[in-house]
């Protein structure tokens, strides 16, 4: 392999370029990104949206890094056509790049379900920086914001907006929106924080949105409620158009094997747009920052013919109302759960066990707990829910086995 074109300059694409160079790849590497200097997305719902983090602090790497690494960065340019059999990638600028391997790192868009009225300019979504800027401009003290969806991004925006003096209502049909990810105990406590901090929460499905002058009328249950704007945060729609254009296997994400290779051996795919095949099934899309970065490392290892990085339990973080959440593993797989600490009385964590092994953990303001949990999951340490729930149990002792 003497040339690699990475389409998309998000965390997955830039991680792929970095891992190729770190692994000694000395061929041509280009990153094609349709927006500007590759930037990080997590602050878009947190410090950047709050106005506490400047634009320059969003950069994934300083501009000089690309030159130092010999990575050609083509910003403001879209990849518009792929011809893997001819090792060619066509760009919106008209330029054609030569590529023995193409890495799709194209992310996705905010999902738009079929709710009537979503095309109003008063309805925001949040996936990129321009959208964050538009939302930030509208989040004026006293403004009325409807957040549709109580998942990670909806909850973070509700919290940030609340901090800016905005009157926030959050609707979600689920009693505990994050239950499937963090379990009922942490999920309930986290969702309950909204009400404690002044966010109105409604367990309901949004019926429709109707623009009335500069206002937005939302049908929530049987009620019509007036807002100044809405944020739609109901999930991700993966970007699969390039993959489809060359007939790659797509199933709500570009399907890859454990080395990130798609159904065409010259094309790899990484990050939020990707779904990994595992045995006979497909994993759900990960949609978290670290997972995207690890995909990049795996893709680079495949291209280099090197050993893939050792798999590790999936991890993510989130912040809301001044509380730091971390989670690792797969909580729905747990058959028993143990709590360390108590919700509302400082840091606490919930540990999910199945058949004598830890399968997941979530922590509130206690990242060390999740760090220890990750090691236990990765090493397959034998544990019991009773031992984990016992405040006298030393986690380091459990790790030593
Ligand atoms: C508001 C927000 C907050 C988040 N907070 C957290 C968090 O707290 N914790 C966490 O773990 N994760 C968080 N995430 C998730 C995390 O940011 C994503 O998992 C990560 O950005 C995925 O990286 P990616 O490279 O796959 O995709 P992206 O970051 O979406 O990057 C894809 C890039 O490809 C470009 N592109 C697409 N098509 C083309 C084309 N044809 N030509 C050229 N360029 C193209 C796009 O412009 C885009 O820049 C958050 C996400 C958002 C949106």
């Amino acid at each position: 392999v003497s040339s690699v074109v990475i389409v998309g300059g998000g965390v997955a694409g830039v991680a792929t370029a970095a891992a190729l160079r770190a692994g000694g790849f000395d061929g041509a590497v280009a990153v094609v990104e349709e927006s500007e200097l590759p930037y990080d997305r997590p602050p878009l719902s947190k410090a950047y949206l709050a106005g506490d983090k400047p634009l320059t602090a969003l950069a994934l790497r300083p501009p000089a890094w690309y030159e130092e690494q010999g990575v050609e960065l083509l910003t403001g340019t879209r990849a518009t056509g792929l011809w893997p059999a001819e090792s060619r990638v066509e760009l919106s600028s008209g330029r054609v790049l030569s590529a023995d391997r193409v890495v799709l790192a194209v992310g996705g868009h905010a999902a738009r379900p079929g709710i009537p009225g979503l095309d109003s300019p008063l309805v925001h979504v949040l996936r990129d920086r321009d959208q964050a800027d538009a939302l930030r401009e509208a989040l004026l003290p006293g403004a009325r914001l409807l957040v549709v969806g109580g998942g990670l991004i909806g909850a973070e925006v509700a919290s940030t907006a609340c901090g800016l003096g905005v009157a926030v209502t959050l609707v979600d049909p689920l009693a505990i929106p994050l239950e499937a990810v963090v379990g009922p105990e942490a999920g309930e406590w986290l969702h309950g924080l909204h009400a404690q901090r002044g966010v109105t929460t409604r367990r309901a499905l949004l019926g429709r949105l109707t623009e009335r002058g500069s206002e937005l009328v939302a049908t929530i249950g049987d009620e019509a409620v007036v807002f100044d704007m809405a944020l739609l945060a109901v999930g991700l729609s993966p970007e699969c158009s390039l993959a489809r254009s060359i007939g790659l296997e797509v199933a709500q994400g570009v399907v890859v094997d454990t080395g990130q290779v798609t159904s065409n051996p010259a094309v790899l795919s990484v990050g939020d747009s990707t779904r990994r095949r595992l045995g006979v099934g497909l994993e759900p899309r990960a949609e978290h920052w670290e997972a995207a970065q690890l995909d990049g490392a795996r893709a680079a290892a495949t291209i280099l013919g090197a050993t893939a990085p050792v798999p590790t339990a999936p991890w993510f973080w989130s912040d809301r109302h001044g509380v730091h959440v971390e989670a690792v593993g797969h909580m729905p797989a747990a058959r028993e759960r143990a709590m360390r600490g108590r919700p509302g009385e400082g840091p606490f964590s919930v540990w999910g066990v199945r058949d004598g092994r830890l399968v997941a953990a979530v922590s509130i303001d206690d990242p060390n707990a999740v760090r220890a949990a990750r090691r236990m999951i990765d090493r397959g340490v034998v544990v019991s829910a009773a031992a984990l729930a016992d405040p006298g149990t030393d986690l380091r002792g459990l790790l030593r086995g």
Side-chain angles (χ1 to χ4, degrees), residues 21-352:
R21 287 299 185 229
F25 183 71
D26 60 4
V29 178
V31 174
V32 183
E33 168 54 48
E34 61 183 314
S35 64
E36 67 283 8
L37 182 70
Y39 62 90
D40 216 6
R41 284 168 211 273
L44 299 183
S45 48
K46 311 176 184 74
Y48 183 75
L49 188 64
D52 292 339
K53 193 169 193 149
L55 182 58
T56 46
L58 290 187
L60 280 168
R61 301 275 181 169
W65 180 85
Y66 299 89
E67 210 178 312
E68 282 159 21
Q69 295 292 316
V71 172
E72 187 179 9
L73 177 63
L74 297 144
T75 55
T77 314
R78 272 186 75 75
T80 47
L82 305 178
W83 284 271
E86 297 159 33
S87 305
R88 290 192 319 137
V89 176
E90 191 182 271
L91 307 184
S92 51
S93 60
R95 194 170 150 194
V96 175
L97 299 177
S98 159
D100 296 332
R101 293 287 182 280
V102 174
V103 181
L104 294 174
V106 288
H109 317 273
R112 287 179 171 273
I115 301 168
L118 291 187
D119 49 354
S120 160
L122 301 176
V123 178
H124 294 257
V125 292
L126 182 54
R127 178 72 195 176
D128 64 33
R129 216 203 70 209
D130 290 346
Q131 292 162 350
D133 289 342
L135 180 61
R136 175 72 184 86
E137 231 169 76
L139 293 180
L140 301 171
R144 296 158 299 177
L145 167 70
L146 168 66
V147 175
V148 185
L152 293 167
I153 291 179
E156 289 185 358
V157 171
S159 152
T160 303
C162 205
L164 292 168
V166 172
V168 185
T169 299
L170 187 150
V171 289
D172 195 298
L174 300 175
I176 306 176
L178 276 189
E179 181 172 358
V181 187
V182 299
E185 299 85 358
E188 187 174 6
W189 187 77
L190 282 168
H191 194 56
L193 264 188
H194 289 307
Q196 282 178 33
R197 304 297 159 91
V199 172
T200 304
T201 49
R202 298 280 307 264
R203 184 181 175 188
L205 258 180
L206 176 68
R208 60 165 55 239
L209 291 167
T210 314
E211 221 178 295
R212 201 175 62 193
S214 60
E215 295 178 327
L216 203 56
V217 183
T219 314
I220 304 173
D222 305 330
E223 243 181 290
V225 190
V226 180
F227 295 95
D228 298 301
M229 75 205 110
L231 171 81
L232 184 68
V234 295
L236 174 91
S237 166
E239 166 58 42
C240 299
S241 57
L242 279 175
R244 281 207 184 88
S245 74
I246 54 165
L248 298 184
E249 185 184 355
V250 169
Q252 292 168 348
V254 183
V255 176
V256 297
D257 66 12
T258 50
Q260 307 298 137
V261 180
T262 68
S263 52
N264 183 321
V267 184
L268 294 86
S269 181
V270 292
D272 278 12
S273 54
T274 306
R275 277 187 89 180
R276 196 168 305 122
R277 188 177 289 293
L278 208 65
V280 287
L282 291 173
E283 285 184 339
R285 293 188 309 272
E287 296 178 21
H288 295 305
W289 189 93
E290 189 197 59
Q293 202 175 42
L294 293 173
D295 277 5
R298 258 191 305 271
T302 299
I303 293 169
L304 290 160
T307 314
V310 180
T312 171
W315 168 87
F316 73 86
W317 84 97
S318 178
D319 296 286
R320 68 170 77 175
H321 302 297
V323 157
H324 180 68
V325 186
E326 292 196 20
V328 66
H330 296 283
M331 197 56 99
R335 289 289 167 271
E336 286 172 280
R337 288 184 305 277
M339 179 116 58
R340 289 176 77 84
R342 277 173 181 281
E345 295 177 16
F348 73 95
S349 50
V350 182
W351 304 63

